[in-house]
Amino acid sequence: MLLAAFSRPPEARAEDVNSSILIAAESVEAYPGLKDAAQYFGPVTEIAKAQSFAVVEEPYEFVIGTKTVVRGDFQKDVGARVMRQSTVVVLARGYAVSFTFIGGTEDEVEELVEGLSFGAGTKTAR
């Protein structure tokens, strides 16, 4: 895990889902034969199902800025609420980098995903 960000402290109680973003990176060497981000969704889906999430949308490719990424969507019931999770994965520099967005509604998760961007690095003039 590289970073976890929450809309409120994780231990805070509330009626709605605590929106969050989790960023993780794992060496592709830990997954022999891993050639593309879609293959990484085998382990991602296993972990999601182990936490009682169901697949809502199978992994699919799309482009964000300069990167082609793969996204999969999951959800689970939490009491009277639904928790939605979208995970976006990119392979970069020998790592599988995942961005997991969690929210209480599809719109909430979409807003978080839309905030993700990859751009070309720029050099500053001296």
Side-chain angles (χ1 to χ4, degrees):
M1 174 93 50
L2 296 176
L3 176 69
F6 301 90
S7 61
R8 61 181 174 275
E11 65 278 353
R13 297 278 179 206
E15 291 299 313
D16 59 343
V17 173
N18 189 4
S19 298
S20 54
I21 301 170
L22 309 169
I23 303 171
E26 289 189 272
S27 173
V28 295
E29 292 176 2
Y31 299 92
L34 183 67
K35 300 290 184 218
D36 60 59
Q39 293 174 313
Y40 189 70
F41 271 89
V44 168
T45 301
E46 257 183 59
I47 292 167
K49 286 182 176 180
Q51 296 177 0
S52 302
F53 280 92
V55 175
V56 173
E57 178 121 19
E58 292 291 335
Y60 60 94
E61 278 190 357
F62 69 103
V63 175
I64 296 178
T66 61
K67 299 281 186 192
T68 299
V69 300
V70 178
R71 175 181 173 174
D73 298 308
F74 307 87
Q75 75 177 29
K76 76 174 178 178
D77 293 330
V78 181
R81 304 174 308 242
V82 173
M83 181 181 289
R84 296 187 164 275
Q85 171 182 311
S86 290
T87 298
V88 176
V89 175
V90 62
L91 298 185
R93 298 183 181 179
Y95 289 90
V97 182
S98 63
F99 302 86
T100 299
F101 304 91
I102 297 172
T105 66
E106 187 174 349
D107 289 342
E108 193 175 349
V109 171
E110 286 304 316
E111 185 178 330
L112 293 170
V113 172
E114 288 171 5
L116 180 62
S117 67
F118 299 99
T122 59
K123 293 185 178 182
T124 57
R126 290 186 185 203

PDB file of all heavy atoms in Angstrom, residues 26-53:
ATOM      1  N   GLU A  26       2.721  -3.360  -6.658  1.00  0.00           N
ATOM      2  CA  GLU A  26       3.374  -4.654  -6.436  1.00  0.00           C
ATOM      3  C   GLU A  26       4.284  -4.935  -7.612  1.00  0.00           C
ATOM      4  O   GLU A  26       3.936  -4.648  -8.761  1.00  0.00           O
ATOM      5  CB  GLU A  26       2.339  -5.783  -6.359  1.00  0.00           C
ATOM      6  CG  GLU A  26       1.499  -5.793  -5.117  1.00  0.00           C
ATOM      7  CD  GLU A  26       0.675  -7.059  -5.045  1.00  0.00           C
ATOM      8  OE1 GLU A  26      -0.434  -7.072  -5.591  1.00  0.00           O
ATOM      9  OE2 GLU A  26       1.173  -8.041  -4.461  1.00  0.00           O
ATOM     10  N   SER A  27       5.405  -5.524  -7.335  1.00  0.00           N
ATOM     11  CA  SER A  27       6.327  -5.894  -8.396  1.00  0.00           C
ATOM     12  C   SER A  27       5.677  -6.936  -9.299  1.00  0.00           C
ATOM     13  O   SER A  27       5.082  -7.901  -8.803  1.00  0.00           O
ATOM     14  CB  SER A  27       7.615  -6.458  -7.796  1.00  0.00           C
ATOM     15  OG  SER A  27       8.440  -6.975  -8.824  1.00  0.00           O
ATOM     16  N   VAL A  28       5.806  -6.753 -10.608  1.00  0.00           N
ATOM     17  CA  VAL A  28       5.254  -7.746 -11.537  1.00  0.00           C
ATOM     18  C   VAL A  28       5.989  -9.076 -11.394  1.00  0.00           C
ATOM     19  O   VAL A  28       5.446 -10.125 -11.752  1.00  0.00           O
ATOM     20  CB  VAL A  28       5.261  -7.268 -13.008  1.00  0.00           C
ATOM     21  CG1 VAL A  28       4.344  -6.078 -13.199  1.00  0.00           C
ATOM     22  CG2 VAL A  28       6.648  -6.956 -13.487  1.00  0.00           C
ATOM     23  N   GLU A  29       7.201  -9.060 -10.833  1.00  0.00           N
ATOM     24  CA  GLU A  29       7.949 -10.292 -10.604  1.00  0.00           C
ATOM     25  C   GLU A  29       7.235 -11.223  -9.629  1.00  0.00           C
ATOM     26  O   GLU A  29       7.457 -12.426  -9.633  1.00  0.00           O
ATOM     27  CB  GLU A  29       9.348  -9.980 -10.094  1.00  0.00           C
ATOM     28  CG  GLU A  29      10.227  -9.316 -11.139  1.00  0.00           C
ATOM     29  CD  GLU A  29      11.592  -8.917 -10.599  1.00  0.00           C
ATOM     30  OE1 GLU A  29      11.879  -9.188  -9.410  1.00  0.00           O
ATOM     31  OE2 GLU A  29      12.369  -8.337 -11.366  1.00  0.00           O
ATOM     32  N   ALA A  30       6.339 -10.667  -8.801  1.00  0.00           N
ATOM     33  CA  ALA A  30       5.571 -11.482  -7.862  1.00  0.00           C
ATOM     34  C   ALA A  30       4.498 -12.303  -8.576  1.00  0.00           C
ATOM     35  O   ALA A  30       3.911 -13.201  -7.977  1.00  0.00           O
ATOM     36  CB  ALA A  30       4.929 -10.588  -6.802  1.00  0.00           C
ATOM     37  N   TYR A  31       4.256 -11.999  -9.844  1.00  0.00           N
ATOM     38  CA  TYR A  31       3.232 -12.673 -10.637  1.00  0.00           C
ATOM     39  C   TYR A  31       3.854 -13.167 -11.944  1.00  0.00           C
ATOM     40  O   TYR A  31       3.750 -12.491 -12.981  1.00  0.00           O
ATOM     41  CB  TYR A  31       2.064 -11.719 -10.928  1.00  0.00           C
ATOM     42  CG  TYR A  31       1.393 -11.243  -9.664  1.00  0.00           C
ATOM     43  CD1 TYR A  31       1.787 -10.060  -9.045  1.00  0.00           C
ATOM     44  CD2 TYR A  31       0.380 -11.991  -9.080  1.00  0.00           C
ATOM     45  CE1 TYR A  31       1.185  -9.633  -7.873  1.00  0.00           C
ATOM     46  CE2 TYR A  31      -0.228 -11.564  -7.907  1.00  0.00           C
ATOM     47  CZ  TYR A  31       0.178 -10.389  -7.312  1.00  0.00           C
ATOM     48  OH  TYR A  31      -0.422  -9.971  -6.150  1.00  0.00           O
ATOM     49  N   PRO A  32       4.499 -14.322 -11.910  1.00  0.00           N
ATOM     50  CA  PRO A  32       5.157 -14.839 -13.122  1.00  0.00           C
ATOM     51  C   PRO A  32       4.181 -14.912 -14.297  1.00  0.00           C
ATOM     52  O   PRO A  32       3.041 -15.351 -14.155  1.00  0.00           O
ATOM     53  CB  PRO A  32       5.601 -16.247 -12.711  1.00  0.00           C
ATOM     54  CG  PRO A  32       5.719 -16.188 -11.221  1.00  0.00           C
ATOM     55  CD  PRO A  32       4.642 -15.228 -10.776  1.00  0.00           C
ATOM     56  N   GLY A  33       4.634 -14.421 -15.440  1.00  0.00           N
ATOM     57  CA  GLY A  33       3.814 -14.443 -16.647  1.00  0.00           C
ATOM     58  C   GLY A  33       2.904 -13.241 -16.807  1.00  0.00           C
ATOM     59  O   GLY A  33       2.206 -13.126 -17.809  1.00  0.00           O
ATOM     60  N   LEU A  34       2.891 -12.322 -15.842  1.00  0.00           N
ATOM     61  CA  LEU A  34       2.039 -11.134 -15.934  1.00  0.00           C
ATOM     62  C   LEU A  34       2.568 -10.223 -17.036  1.00  0.00           C
ATOM     63  O   LEU A  34       3.671  -9.698 -16.938  1.00  0.00           O
ATOM     64  CB  LEU A  34       2.019 -10.392 -14.590  1.00  0.00           C
ATOM     65  CG  LEU A  34       1.104  -9.166 -14.520  1.00  0.00           C
ATOM     66  CD1 LEU A  34      -0.351  -9.570 -14.613  1.00  0.00           C
ATOM     67  CD2 LEU A  34       1.350  -8.413 -13.222  1.00  0.00           C
ATOM     68  N   LYS A  35       1.788 -10.079 -18.091  1.00  0.00           N
ATOM     69  CA  LYS A  35       2.209  -9.273 -19.243  1.00  0.00           C
ATOM     70  C   LYS A  35       1.368  -8.017 -19.433  1.00  0.00           C
ATOM     71  O   LYS A  35       1.799  -7.075 -20.072  1.00  0.00           O
ATOM     72  CB  LYS A  35       2.144 -10.103 -20.532  1.00  0.00           C
ATOM     73  CG  LYS A  35       3.026 -11.332 -20.514  1.00  0.00           C
ATOM     74  CD  LYS A  35       4.479 -10.967 -20.570  1.00  0.00           C
ATOM     75  CE  LYS A  35       5.326 -12.219 -20.656  1.00  0.00           C
ATOM     76  NZ  LYS A  35       6.538 -12.157 -19.919  1.00  0.00           N
ATOM     77  N   ASP A  36       0.124  -8.026 -18.927  1.00  0.00           N
ATOM     78  CA  ASP A  36      -0.711  -6.841 -19.083  1.00  0.00           C
ATOM     79  C   ASP A  36      -1.595  -6.647 -17.849  1.00  0.00           C
ATOM     80  O   ASP A  36      -1.778  -7.566 -17.044  1.00  0.00           O
ATOM     81  CB  ASP A  36      -1.553  -6.904 -20.366  1.00  0.00           C
ATOM     82  CG  ASP A  36      -2.496  -8.086 -20.408  1.00  0.00           C
ATOM     83  OD1 ASP A  36      -3.349  -8.206 -19.503  1.00  0.00           O
ATOM     84  OD2 ASP A  36      -2.383  -8.891 -21.347  1.00  0.00           O
ATOM     85  N   ALA A  37      -2.121  -5.448 -17.714  1.00  0.00           N
ATOM     86  CA  ALA A  37      -2.880  -5.081 -16.521  1.00  0.00           C
ATOM     87  C   ALA A  37      -4.132  -5.931 -16.347  1.00  0.00           C
ATOM     88  O   ALA A  37      -4.537  -6.211 -15.216  1.00  0.00           O
ATOM     89  CB  ALA A  37      -3.238  -3.601 -16.575  1.00  0.00           C
ATOM     90  N   ALA A  38      -4.739  -6.385 -17.428  1.00  0.00           N
ATOM     91  CA  ALA A  38      -5.953  -7.203 -17.324  1.00  0.00           C
ATOM     92  C   ALA A  38      -5.684  -8.498 -16.558  1.00  0.00           C
ATOM     93  O   ALA A  38      -6.537  -8.964 -15.791  1.00  0.00           O
ATOM     94  CB  ALA A  38      -6.516  -7.500 -18.705  1.00  0.00           C
ATOM     95  N   GLN A  39      -4.503  -9.068 -16.724  1.00  0.00           N
ATOM     96  CA  GLN A  39      -4.158 -10.301 -16.021  1.00  0.00           C
ATOM     97  C   GLN A  39      -4.093 -10.088 -14.505  1.00  0.00           C
ATOM     98  O   GLN A  39      -4.322 -11.014 -13.740  1.00  0.00           O
ATOM     99  CB  GLN A  39      -2.817 -10.845 -16.517  1.00  0.00           C
ATOM    100  CG  GLN A  39      -2.854 -11.332 -17.945  1.00  0.00           C
ATOM    101  CD  GLN A  39      -1.463 -11.714 -18.426  1.00  0.00           C
ATOM    102  OE1 GLN A  39      -0.507 -10.970 -18.231  1.00  0.00           O
ATOM    103  NE2 GLN A  39      -1.363 -12.869 -19.056  1.00  0.00           N
ATOM    104  N   TYR A  40      -3.777  -8.897 -14.074  1.00  0.00           N
ATOM    105  CA  TYR A  40      -3.675  -8.585 -12.649  1.00  0.00           C
ATOM    106  C   TYR A  40      -5.043  -8.647 -11.964  1.00  0.00           C
ATOM    107  O   TYR A  40      -5.135  -8.745 -10.746  1.00  0.00           O
ATOM    108  CB  TYR A  40      -3.035  -7.207 -12.474  1.00  0.00           C
ATOM    109  CG  TYR A  40      -2.686  -6.850 -11.050  1.00  0.00           C
ATOM    110  CD1 TYR A  40      -1.643  -7.497 -10.392  1.00  0.00           C
ATOM    111  CD2 TYR A  40      -3.380  -5.865 -10.374  1.00  0.00           C
ATOM    112  CE1 TYR A  40      -1.309  -7.168  -9.083  1.00  0.00           C
ATOM    113  CE2 TYR A  40      -3.051  -5.519  -9.065  1.00  0.00           C
ATOM    114  CZ  TYR A  40      -2.020  -6.178  -8.430  1.00  0.00           C
ATOM    115  OH  TYR A  40      -1.685  -5.849  -7.135  1.00  0.00           O
ATOM    116  N   PHE A  41      -6.109  -8.608 -12.757  1.00  0.00           N
ATOM    117  CA  PHE A  41      -7.449  -8.653 -12.167  1.00  0.00           C
ATOM    118  C   PHE A  41      -7.821 -10.030 -11.632  1.00  0.00           C
ATOM    119  O   PHE A  41      -8.797 -10.155 -10.896  1.00  0.00           O
ATOM    120  CB  PHE A  41      -8.509  -8.117 -13.135  1.00  0.00           C
ATOM    121  CG  PHE A  41      -8.686  -6.646 -12.977  1.00  0.00           C
ATOM    122  CD1 PHE A  41      -7.914  -5.773 -13.701  1.00  0.00           C
ATOM    123  CD2 PHE A  41      -9.575  -6.130 -12.048  1.00  0.00           C
ATOM    124  CE1 PHE A  41      -8.030  -4.408 -13.533  1.00  0.00           C
ATOM    125  CE2 PHE A  41      -9.705  -4.772 -11.860  1.00  0.00           C
ATOM    126  CZ  PHE A  41      -8.939  -3.906 -12.606  1.00  0.00           C
ATOM    127  N   GLY A  42      -7.048 -11.079 -11.954  1.00  0.00           N
ATOM    128  CA  GLY A  42      -7.273 -12.363 -11.294  1.00  0.00           C
ATOM    129  C   GLY A  42      -7.102 -12.211  -9.797  1.00  0.00           C
ATOM    130  O   GLY A  42      -8.044 -12.459  -9.018  1.00  0.00           O
ATOM    131  N   PRO A  43      -5.918 -11.753  -9.339  1.00  0.00           N
ATOM    132  CA  PRO A  43      -5.724 -11.533  -7.901  1.00  0.00           C
ATOM    133  C   PRO A  43      -6.646 -10.446  -7.317  1.00  0.00           C
ATOM    134  O   PRO A  43      -7.133 -10.594  -6.196  1.00  0.00           O
ATOM    135  CB  PRO A  43      -4.261 -11.105  -7.786  1.00  0.00           C
ATOM    136  CG  PRO A  43      -3.606 -11.604  -9.025  1.00  0.00           C
ATOM    137  CD  PRO A  43      -4.663 -11.619 -10.084  1.00  0.00           C
ATOM    138  N   VAL A  44      -6.887  -9.369  -8.066  1.00  0.00           N
ATOM    139  CA  VAL A  44      -7.759  -8.298  -7.570  1.00  0.00           C
ATOM    140  C   VAL A  44      -9.159  -8.845  -7.303  1.00  0.00           C
ATOM    141  O   VAL A  44      -9.761  -8.583  -6.257  1.00  0.00           O
ATOM    142  CB  VAL A  44      -7.818  -7.111  -8.565  1.00  0.00           C
ATOM    143  CG1 VAL A  44      -8.932  -6.135  -8.203  1.00  0.00           C
ATOM    144  CG2 VAL A  44      -6.488  -6.380  -8.618  1.00  0.00           C
ATOM    145  N   THR A  45      -9.674  -9.622  -8.236  1.00  0.00           N
ATOM    146  CA  THR A  45     -11.021 -10.187  -8.093  1.00  0.00           C
ATOM    147  C   THR A  45     -11.083 -11.177  -6.939  1.00  0.00           C
ATOM    148  O   THR A  45     -12.053 -11.198  -6.178  1.00  0.00           O
ATOM    149  CB  THR A  45     -11.468 -10.832  -9.412  1.00  0.00           C
ATOM    150  OG1 THR A  45     -11.452  -9.823 -10.443  1.00  0.00           O
ATOM    151  CG2 THR A  45     -12.874 -11.415  -9.309  1.00  0.00           C
ATOM    152  N   GLU A  46     -10.037 -11.985  -6.782  1.00  0.00           N
ATOM    153  CA  GLU A  46      -9.975 -12.927  -5.649  1.00  0.00           C
ATOM    154  C   GLU A  46     -10.086 -12.182  -4.318  1.00  0.00           C
ATOM    155  O   GLU A  46     -10.841 -12.582  -3.432  1.00  0.00           O
ATOM    156  CB  GLU A  46      -8.638 -13.671  -5.676  1.00  0.00           C
ATOM    157  CG  GLU A  46      -8.700 -15.067  -6.182  1.00  0.00           C
ATOM    158  CD  GLU A  46      -7.322 -15.723  -6.098  1.00  0.00           C
ATOM    159  OE1 GLU A  46      -6.753 -15.812  -4.985  1.00  0.00           O
ATOM    160  OE2 GLU A  46      -6.842 -16.137  -7.160  1.00  0.00           O
ATOM    161  N   ILE A  47      -9.320 -11.117  -4.180  1.00  0.00           N
ATOM    162  CA  ILE A  47      -9.329 -10.332  -2.943  1.00  0.00           C
ATOM    163  C   ILE A  47     -10.695  -9.685  -2.734  1.00  0.00           C
ATOM    164  O   ILE A  47     -11.237  -9.703  -1.628  1.00  0.00           O
ATOM    165  CB  ILE A  47      -8.207  -9.272  -2.953  1.00  0.00           C
ATOM    166  CG1 ILE A  47      -6.846  -9.971  -2.880  1.00  0.00           C
ATOM    167  CG2 ILE A  47      -8.377  -8.275  -1.812  1.00  0.00           C
ATOM    168  CD1 ILE A  47      -5.675  -9.066  -3.190  1.00  0.00           C
ATOM    169  N   ALA A  48     -11.268  -9.121  -3.794  1.00  0.00           N
ATOM    170  CA  ALA A  48     -12.585  -8.479  -3.687  1.00  0.00           C
ATOM    171  C   ALA A  48     -13.644  -9.495  -3.261  1.00  0.00           C
ATOM    172  O   ALA A  48     -14.453  -9.225  -2.359  1.00  0.00           O
ATOM    173  CB  ALA A  48     -12.963  -7.822  -5.006  1.00  0.00           C
ATOM    174  N   LYS A  49     -13.649 -10.668  -3.878  1.00  0.00           N
ATOM    175  CA  LYS A  49     -14.631 -11.700  -3.527  1.00  0.00           C
ATOM    176  C   LYS A  49     -14.434 -12.184  -2.097  1.00  0.00           C
ATOM    177  O   LYS A  49     -15.407 -12.458  -1.395  1.00  0.00           O
ATOM    178  CB  LYS A  49     -14.559 -12.860  -4.514  1.00  0.00           C
ATOM    179  CG  LYS A  49     -15.164 -12.515  -5.868  1.00  0.00           C
ATOM    180  CD  LYS A  49     -15.121 -13.702  -6.810  1.00  0.00           C
ATOM    181  CE  LYS A  49     -15.809 -13.365  -8.119  1.00  0.00           C
ATOM    182  NZ  LYS A  49     -15.789 -14.510  -9.052  1.00  0.00           N
ATOM    183  N   ALA A  50     -13.194 -12.271  -1.644  1.00  0.00           N
ATOM    184  CA  ALA A  50     -12.916 -12.675  -0.264  1.00  0.00           C
ATOM    185  C   ALA A  50     -13.474 -11.665   0.733  1.00  0.00           C
ATOM    186  O   ALA A  50     -13.756 -12.006   1.881  1.00  0.00           O
ATOM    187  CB  ALA A  50     -11.412 -12.857  -0.052  1.00  0.00           C
ATOM    188  N   GLN A  51     -13.670 -10.420   0.294  1.00  0.00           N
ATOM    189  CA  GLN A  51     -14.244  -9.376   1.140  1.00  0.00           C
ATOM    190  C   GLN A  51     -15.727  -9.177   0.846  1.00  0.00           C
ATOM    191  O   GLN A  51     -16.300  -8.122   1.123  1.00  0.00           O
ATOM    192  CB  GLN A  51     -13.475  -8.073   0.960  1.00  0.00           C
ATOM    193  CG  GLN A  51     -12.043  -8.170   1.427  1.00  0.00           C
ATOM    194  CD  GLN A  51     -11.252  -6.896   1.175  1.00  0.00           C
ATOM    195  OE1 GLN A  51     -11.745  -5.909   0.639  1.00  0.00           O
ATOM    196  NE2 GLN A  51      -9.999  -6.909   1.577  1.00  0.00           N
ATOM    197  N   SER A  52     -16.356 -10.188   0.217  1.00  0.00           N
ATOM    198  CA  SER A  52     -17.798 -10.217  -0.078  1.00  0.00           C
ATOM    199  C   SER A  52     -18.247  -9.261  -1.173  1.00  0.00           C
ATOM    200  O   SER A  52     -19.427  -8.938  -1.270  1.00  0.00           O
ATOM    201  CB  SER A  52     -18.627  -9.983   1.197  1.00  0.00           C
ATOM    202  OG  SER A  52     -18.307 -10.957   2.159  1.00  0.00           O
ATOM    203  N   PHE A  53     -17.322  -8.795  -2.004  1.00  0.00           N
ATOM    204  CA  PHE A  53     -17.704  -7.980  -3.151  1.00  0.00           C
ATOM    205  C   PHE A  53     -18.088  -8.899  -4.304  1.00  0.00           C
ATOM    206  O   PHE A  53     -17.517  -9.978  -4.469  1.00  0.00           O
ATOM    207  CB  PHE A  53     -16.552  -7.084  -3.608  1.00  0.00           C
ATOM    208  CG  PHE A  53     -16.376  -5.841  -2.787  1.00  0.00           C
ATOM    209  CD1 PHE A  53     -15.522  -5.826  -1.703  1.00  0.00           C
ATOM    210  CD2 PHE A  53     -17.060  -4.681  -3.106  1.00  0.00           C
ATOM    211  CE1 PHE A  53     -15.343  -4.688  -0.942  1.00  0.00           C
ATOM    212  CE2 PHE A  53     -16.890  -3.526  -2.353  1.00  0.00           C
ATOM    213  CZ  PHE A  53     -16.031  -3.530  -1.268  1.00  0.00           C
TER     214      PHE A  53
END
